[in-house]
Amino acid sequence: MKYIRLIPILVIAAATAMVQLPLAAQTDNSKPQPPAESKSFDLSAIDKTADPCTDFYQYACGNWIKTNPIPSDKTRWQRSFAVLSERNRYLLWQELEAAAKAPKTPLQKQYGGFYAACMDTDTVESKGLTPIQPAWKQIATLSKAKQLPKLLSDLENGGSPDGFFNFGVGIDEKDSSKQIAEIFQGGISLPDRDYYIVDSPRFKGIREQYIAHVTKMFTLAGDTAEQAAKEAAAVMEIETAMAKASTSRTELRQPENRYHIYTVVDFEKLAPNFDWSAYFKGTGIGHFDTLNVATPNYFTALNGLIQSEPLDSWKSYLRWHVLHGQASSLPKAYFDENFAFFSKTLAGQAEPEARWKQCSSMTDRALGEAVGQDWVKQNFPPAAKDSMDKLVAALEKSLGDDIKTLPWMGEDTKKAAEEKLAMIRNKIGYPEKWRDYSSVKVDPKDLIGNLHHAFVYERNYDNAKLGKPVDEKEWGMSPPTVNAYYSPSFNDINFPAGILQPPFFDASIDPAVNFGGIGVVIGHEMTHGFDDQGAKYDGKGNLRQWQTDADLKAFKDRTECIASEYSGFEAAPAKGDAPAVNLNGHLTLGENTADNGGLRIAYMALLDTLAAQSKTIKDIIDDYTEAQRFFIGFAQVWCMNQTDGIARQLVLVDPHSPGKWRTNGSVQNFDEFGKAFGCKQGQPMYPANSCRVW
Ligand SMILES: [Zn+2]
């Protein structure tokens, strides 16, 4: 597992970095149904009793919010992302089901077998804990702390990631032509370090429930109540120490805070109680002399812990990570207990997703480019790619125009910004070259074995990049994914086939709605190259200041305006003993900057497009001007409902703002919105003073 440096347009709420998507252990016999589709422009979603100048999100989405409660198997329900994801997954399921029953190609045999193993709950039940026993036996042989490096690499080689830390290969932040070894903090099971550290009644309660959950899991696995309680206490003690030594997500957003090149020799001096060379060698990665130690403080603390914690505590910790890491693929009793704590208690999900949904997602995660090859043949017409090429070109032009006319930036910096913009590469739909999964062993009767093989394949694929040239054509998302991302080191924007359809993009609708939908998504990704994080990299993807000092200062003043504005927005209202929480303006700064810039440049691109067709922004379709349709189309991408639990979790872990603020924050910083809806200056959505970066 390595630290992911892609910047996606949204986080998938059900699967945070630390929590595996839960798998329903009970068999779901209900026949999967083709899901509803969301329209690109939906008059029935609008709440006409709301004033667009006071709360535009309520106006554009209010009726949808009222009539679309969160389904019982979700924590978050969005009119665009979630509904389309359900549709794509249904299409994927049809493909998997057919491949499981009657595969026609070796590829279909492989992903069909993977899916079938996941659906075969009878076999999962009959195996019990057998699939994790080899790992537990290895842990039981630990007799001194010196053996930890070998044990960790052995566990990983068997497909059971161990916790402790995240090691892998990444692009060198200062030389994007190089792929180097990297090591990051890790080791905790709760979604963020704050869950262990924050002193509030809510977090104290969660910690007590977590200890009870760990105890219950060990009891299910056959330990006595006394043993299980002792083990849970050890897990909590070690994870709390790891959480305290961790760098916060907000600090980690800044690349300089996660870039510390060490020689292996110096790294071994930093944390001498762990034989790093033995561990690296054990994983099978090639030789290297230097690596990026992203979070040195964490490894200093880990070094102390290795000495201070008794061996029995480490055994408990490792046993827990093996059990927890695979809980959602074990028999029903383990699945249910895992779901009850991580999904229900923490995130507010009422019930697990149907087994077919879980297994479709799991196969997509493990063998994404295998299933994706067939998926795009069925679901991604070449015309969609041509339309996207045109839209991307229109957005590139308007970002270039925007840079030229920025009031706060000097000529030298403008020239450098234009150069960086010209170097952004576009990837649309799916990879030119598919990854070869033929070496991943799949057995339709062995779910956990398949997961282990997929893990080791992925780990080896990643480790093999060490010292090799960067493959600029590689993708970080599978084709059916409803998402998009920018990568600062690649300086590229990526749009999987899954998002290039209604409600984001609709060939049959007027350009205003498409520019408000997919146009803003494209603009958002481009702007990431110039947000507070992306702007630290040059066009080649190297960390390097390319702005003049004066322009950099002006840039920081402007991004701080956005940070303090969004810190004033409420992310979850008070509930029970939990007080209201506001957004973290610095954690969400890059995304908010990209939302603001994306909206502006998509609007500019729309003006150009309408002018080329001899139309204007004031033309009326169905009672709304083109300008109004653009903003409503934009807002309706973000209509959503979410549980209180997930709102509170995401405010800590998600760099994106919730739909309400992605909408209202963006429009209130863009005067064209107030003009389009005839607002009076001074109203909430048309303030006299607003923030603007791009
Ligand atoms: Zn983004």
Side-chain angles (χ1 to χ4, degrees):
M1 292 287 288
K2 65 174 185 163
Y3 178 84
I4 305 297
R5 214 153 49 208
L6 308 179
I7 305 185
I9 194 161
L10 93 162
V11 72
I12 306 298
T16 64
M18 318 285 175
V19 187
Q20 288 194 350
L21 210 70
L23 249 174
Q26 63 271 32
T27 310
D28 185 274
N29 295 319
S30 62
K31 176 99 181 90
Q33 297 292 320
E37 288 179 37
S38 288
K39 284 190 253 171
S40 298
F41 188 85
D42 187 359
L43 289 168
S44 74
I46 294 173
D47 173 4
K48 292 212 165 139
T49 67
D51 179 356
C53 300
T54 306
D55 182 349
F56 183 53
Y57 178 71
Q58 178 61 31
Y59 177 80
C61 294
N63 217 30
W64 185 92
I65 292 168
K66 202 168 76 185
T67 51
N68 286 274
I70 309 163
S72 59
D73 65 348
K74 298 283 181 293
T75 56
R76 214 179 204 200
W77 188 239
Q78 296 129 318
R79 202 187 76 85
S80 57
F81 286 95
V83 172
L84 182 54
S85 295
E86 287 287 299
R87 179 175 167 273
N88 287 357
R89 185 163 57 177
Y90 174 78
L91 298 170
L92 187 67
W93 166 79
Q94 288 185 313
E95 186 185 320
L96 295 170
E97 184 80 2
K101 283 183 181 145
K104 293 193 184 85
T105 65
L107 206 59
Q108 289 180 2
K109 186 164 182 245
Q110 192 177 35
Y111 63 69
F114 195 100
Y115 172 80
C118 178
M119 289 301 288
D120 185 356
T121 48
D122 288 346
T123 302
V124 169
E125 285 298 323
S126 69
K127 286 187 187 224
L129 287 185
T130 313
I132 67 164
Q133 289 298 350
W136 273 15
K137 279 186 188 140
Q138 286 175 313
I139 294 165
T141 64
L142 189 69
S143 62
K144 43 183 188 289
K146 284 252 170 288
Q147 294 166 342
L148 274 170
K150 169 121 187 7
L151 175 61
L152 294 194
S153 57
D154 285 348
L155 287 172
E156 211 179 294
N157 294 337
S160 297
D162 42 68
F164 266 75
F165 47 74
N166 295 305
F167 172 68
V169 174
I171 295 180
D172 187 334
E173 303 261 22
K174 290 193 176 169
D175 180 356
S176 66
S177 68
K178 278 195 193 145
Q179 306 199 83
I180 59 170
E182 292 190 308
I183 196 159
F184 282 79
Q185 66 195 28
I188 58 177
S189 306
L190 291 171
D192 187 77
R193 64 170 203 164
D194 279 13
Y195 283 77
Y196 297 86
I197 298 169
V198 172
D199 186 22
S200 72
R202 177 168 179 269
F203 282 111
K204 277 185 190 159
I206 287 175
R207 288 194 284 271
E208 281 163 22
Q209 286 168 295
Y210 176 54
I211 293 172
H213 165 64
V214 179
T215 308
K216 179 88 188 286
M217 290 288 279
F218 277 127
T219 316
L220 285 172
D223 292 352
T224 64
E226 197 190 348
Q227 261 176 328
K230 200 176 155 217
E231 291 201 281
V235 169
M236 193 60 179
E237 183 174 306
I238 291 176
E239 290 191 356
T240 303
M242 288 171 162
K244 283 182 180 159
S246 295
T247 306
S248 76
R249 285 173 199 271
T250 305
E251 288 170 277
L252 273 183
R253 281 193 66 247
Q254 297 312 323
E256 62 274 17
N257 292 341
R258 48 170 206 251
Y259 186 76
H260 311 93
I261 299 294
Y262 277 69
T263 62
V264 174
V265 174
D266 284 344
F267 183 42
E268 297 206 308
K269 284 182 197 151
L270 181 79
N273 292 330
F274 190 91
D275 185 346
W276 294 99
S277 292
Y279 168 77
F280 298 143
K281 196 161 172 254
T283 66
I285 193 170
H287 176 81
F288 54 92
D289 293 318
T290 60
L291 76 164
N292 177 27
V293 181
T295 50
N297 293 342
Y298 177 80
F299 291 98
T300 311
L302 181 63
N303 188 61
L305 269 184
I306 288 170
Q307 197 158 41
S308 62
E309 286 294 330
L311 217 52
D312 277 347
S313 295
W314 286 117
K315 287 187 190 176
S316 300
Y317 172 88
L318 288 165
R319 276 164 56 83
W320 166 246
H321 277 260
V322 168
L323 181 63
H324 168 61
Q326 290 157 92
S328 51
S329 307
L330 287 169
K332 181 170 163 39
Y334 301 92
F335 171 85
D336 285 349
E337 174 56 29
N338 185 59
F339 177 84
F341 178 71
F342 278 98
S343 300
K344 199 168 201 168
T345 301
L346 283 190
Q349 187 174 335
E351 62 180 11
E353 288 190 320
R355 186 84 183 178
W356 68 269
K357 291 188 182 183
Q358 301 292 339
C359 293
S360 300
S361 292
M362 184 186 270
T363 312
D364 183 43
R365 280 197 301 278
L367 304 169
E369 288 190 21
V371 287
Q373 291 177 41
D374 289 335
W375 194 88
V376 295
K377 278 183 212 150
Q378 303 292 328
N379 302 298
F380 188 62
K385 185 175 182 312
D386 294 343
S387 307
M388 266 306 275
D389 286 337
K390 289 196 187 90
L391 281 164
V392 169
L395 268 291
E396 270 169 2
K397 182 186 173 295
S398 58
L399 180 51
D401 292 345
D402 177 60
I403 290 169
K404 282 192 192 84
T405 55
L406 275 183
W408 56 272
M409 193 187 270
E411 288 309 314
D412 288 349
T413 305
K414 283 184 181 175
K415 196 164 158 278
E418 285 167 17
E419 277 168 20
K420 177 167 183 182
L421 172 63
M423 291 171 81
I424 295 180
R425 285 174 294 109
N426 315 314
K427 298 210 295 256
I428 294 165
Y430 53 90
E432 284 175 30
K433 201 179 90 206
W434 297 102
R435 275 173 64 175
D436 175 10
Y437 292 91
S438 57
S439 66
V440 183
K441 200 179 139 219
V442 170
D443 176 348
K445 288 282 174 198
D446 188 7
L447 168 59
I448 289 186
N450 295 341
L451 287 169
H452 287 172
H453 297 147
F455 169 83
V456 173
Y457 166 82
E458 202 65 42
R459 197 273 315 254
N460 291 349
Y461 179 88
D462 186 44
N463 284 355
K465 294 176 181 170
L466 182 71
K468 301 257 173 64
V470 173
D471 177 5
E472 290 171 346
K473 293 182 174 166
E474 188 176 48
W475 278 70
M477 283 179 184
S478 79
T481 307
V482 183
N483 211 328
Y485 69 91
Y486 171 77
S487 160
S489 294
F490 282 76
N491 192 27
D492 67 1
I493 50 178
N494 300 260
F495 305 95
I499 196 172
L500 304 177
Q501 42 188 326
F504 293 92
F505 173 68
D506 182 351
S508 67
I509 206 152
D510 52 309
V513 176
N514 277 333
F515 276 99
I518 196 71
V520 176
V521 173
I522 300 167
H524 171 104
E525 299 307 339
M526 280 180 191
T527 308
H528 269 314
F530 302 92
D531 70 22
D532 66 309
Q533 194 179 28
K536 292 185 171 173
Y537 299 78
D538 65 17
K540 288 182 177 158
N542 294 326
L543 266 184
R544 180 177 71 82
Q545 185 185 327
W546 47 269
Q547 309 91 329
T548 62
D549 289 342
D551 287 334
L552 189 60
K553 189 187 171 301
F555 176 75
K556 282 185 181 157
D557 290 345
R558 283 170 180 267
T559 53
E560 277 309 303
C561 178
I562 302 252
S564 78
E565 179 184 33
Y566 279 75
S567 291
F569 296 154
E570 187 179 83
K575 193 180 179 201
D577 62 359
V581 283
N582 277 9
L583 284 175
N584 174 345
H586 284 101
L587 177 64
T588 56
L589 178 53
E591 295 300 333
N592 299 331
T593 304
D595 281 345
N596 281 236
L599 185 69
R600 181 182 296 270
I601 65 169
Y603 186 85
M604 290 166 64
L606 172 63
L607 292 183
D608 286 349
T609 301
L610 291 174
Q613 297 173 1
S614 307
K615 292 179 186 162
T616 82
I617 203 82
K618 293 191 171 149
D619 293 350
I620 291 175
I621 302 176
D622 289 343
D623 299 338
Y624 288 101
T625 65
E626 286 280 32
Q628 290 171 336
R629 289 174 68 82
F630 168 83
F631 287 111
I632 292 170
F634 160 68
Q636 289 188 342
V637 163
W638 298 114
C639 305
M640 59 178 266
N641 281 306
Q642 64 181 345
T643 65
D644 177 69
I646 204 69
R648 288 174 189 276
Q649 182 169 322
L650 293 180
V651 79
L652 295 175
V653 306
D654 186 0
H656 305 87
S657 301
K660 176 176 180 178
W661 300 116
R662 295 193 82 155
T663 305
N664 285 355
S666 302
V667 300
Q668 74 188 54
N669 285 333
F670 188 30
D671 285 355
E672 295 307 321
F673 170 81
K675 292 178 196 161
F677 280 87
C679 305
K680 286 195 201 74
Q681 194 132 45
Q683 285 189 281
M685 298 293 111
Y686 193 26
N689 296 307
S690 57
C691 301
R692 177 179 173 192
V693 184
W694 297 101

